[in-house]
Amino acid sequence: MRPAMRSIVKLAAYAIVLTIATVIAFAGPCEEGCDFNNTNCTTAANTNYGQCSSAISSQYSSCYQQASQEWTDCRFNAGIQHYFCIQNAAPEEEGICNQILQMDENSCDSALQQAEYYCMVTSGVGQEQCEFNFQMDQQACANDYDACLFLCGLQNP
């Protein structure tokens, strides 16, 4: 997540906490109901964010493990092909086998870099979505809370 977005999320969280603290000092029964609902809403938003981030982290880890395994398999297969090439080549052709091995290993390394880049981009997009959803959830909680307090003000002027 970009630093600016993190700052916005933190500021929103601080504003919500300060609003809750201010209202609690002057809370009546109606306002206490608003506080209760807002606490539940905020807890749900935090839980959803935690679950989303955890899922993205697991997906990221799994993606890297798969990329690493594919690289290991690729390098192993390159080594086997090299072994058979050397076994079947005339002594003057062994240099060709070594060049083929180097090309195969470079291909494996390139595939690993592409896979790791894919993992990084995918997890980054997923984490950005978690952050966006969290902001929307927090905003919904704040809107509901404000509406509730407004209704309390209408009931008890």
Side-chain angles (χ1 to χ4, degrees):
M1 177 161 74
R2 294 176 294 239
M5 290 183 75
R6 285 190 179 129
S7 296
I8 291 170
V9 170
K10 287 179 184 176
L11 288 174
Y14 292 141
I16 291 169
V17 169
L18 289 175
T19 301
I20 292 171
T22 303
V23 171
I24 288 175
F26 304 103
C30 182
E31 289 84 0
E32 287 173 3
C34 296
D35 293 340
F36 178 78
N37 290 339
N38 189 57
T39 299
N40 288 339
C41 184
T42 303
T43 299
N46 289 335
T47 300
N48 290 341
Y49 176 75
Q51 290 172 346
C52 182
S53 291
S54 179
I56 294 300
S57 179
S58 294
Q59 180 183 10
Y60 179 73
S61 178
S62 176
C63 186
Y64 265 95
Q65 287 174 351
Q66 181 179 351
S68 178
Q69 184 61 52
E70 288 172 3
W71 177 81
T72 300
D73 294 345
C74 183
R75 295 286 293 234
F76 179 76
N77 290 334
I80 289 174
Q81 290 177 5
H82 180 257
Y83 172 79
F84 286 118
C85 184
I86 293 291
Q87 293 297 314
N88 296 317
E92 62 272 5
E93 296 172 332
E94 288 180 5
I96 295 171
C97 293
N98 292 336
Q99 287 177 344
I100 292 171
L101 174 63
Q102 187 174 11
M103 289 184 336
D104 287 348
E105 288 177 339
N106 288 341
S107 178
C108 294
D109 293 346
S110 177
L112 175 64
Q113 288 177 345
Q114 290 174 2
E116 288 177 339
Y117 178 76
Y118 171 80
C119 294
M120 180 183 65
V121 168
T122 301
S123 68
V125 168
Q127 188 60 40
E128 289 273 334
Q129 188 63 48
C130 292
E131 302 292 340
F132 178 79
N133 290 345
F134 182 58
Q135 289 175 0
M136 293 297 104
D137 289 347
Q138 282 186 319
Q139 189 60 54
C141 291
N143 290 345
D144 290 348
Y145 186 68
D146 289 344
C148 184
L149 291 179
F150 178 76
L151 291 175
C152 287
L154 293 177
Q155 292 173 5
N156 302 312

